Amino acid sequence: MHPLKLIETTPGKYSLLLNAGSTEVDDVIAELGHEPNGYFWEGIAQLIVQDEAPALAGRIEYDPEGGMFVAYGTDRAALEDLGERMSALASDEERMRELVTTAEEAGFEFDD
């Protein structure tokens, strides 16, 4: 799941973490006019849930910061699923370019 990490913060509560600026696609994100911060990655997570994994909707909450993406909740399986999907995207420049371009064409606004 690299570069994301899933940790148990307290018994039964989990956080999915990504240090912003630590992925292989940071240059592509900047090239597309965005800052690869935690808020941008929240938008990516929302798009993944909306378009690829609607069964995760309502099972994950977000609390990003400038330097870190954070998703959390009690559903470890949902966070693992999201983490695997985001991990694959964090190393695939072509897919990132396609996802951001398609989202913007559809009117999605990233909050970065």
Side-chain angles (χ1 to χ4, degrees), residues 17-97:
L17 310 171
L18 172 66
N19 286 323
S22 67
T23 73
E24 295 175 35
V25 296
D26 290 342
D27 289 342
V28 170
I29 294 167
E31 177 185 309
L32 293 167
H34 296 283
E35 186 175 333
N37 62 25
Y39 303 107
F40 173 83
W41 281 101
E42 178 187 8
I44 292 296
Q46 291 172 348
L47 287 169
I48 288 172
V49 170
Q50 172 187 301
D51 297 341
E52 299 175 17
L56 299 179
R59 296 168 59 191
I60 298 169
E61 295 188 54
Y62 305 101
D63 187 21
E65 299 175 3
M68 181 175 284
F69 165 78
V70 180
Y72 66 95
T74 57
D75 190 335
R76 181 183 178 102
L79 290 164
E80 286 176 342
D81 187 344
L82 179 62
E84 292 297 329
R85 292 170 189 272
M86 290 181 70
S87 177
L89 186 58
S91 62
D92 188 337
E93 292 182 0
E94 183 177 324
R95 187 159 171 247
M96 177 61 77
R97 189 181 318 277

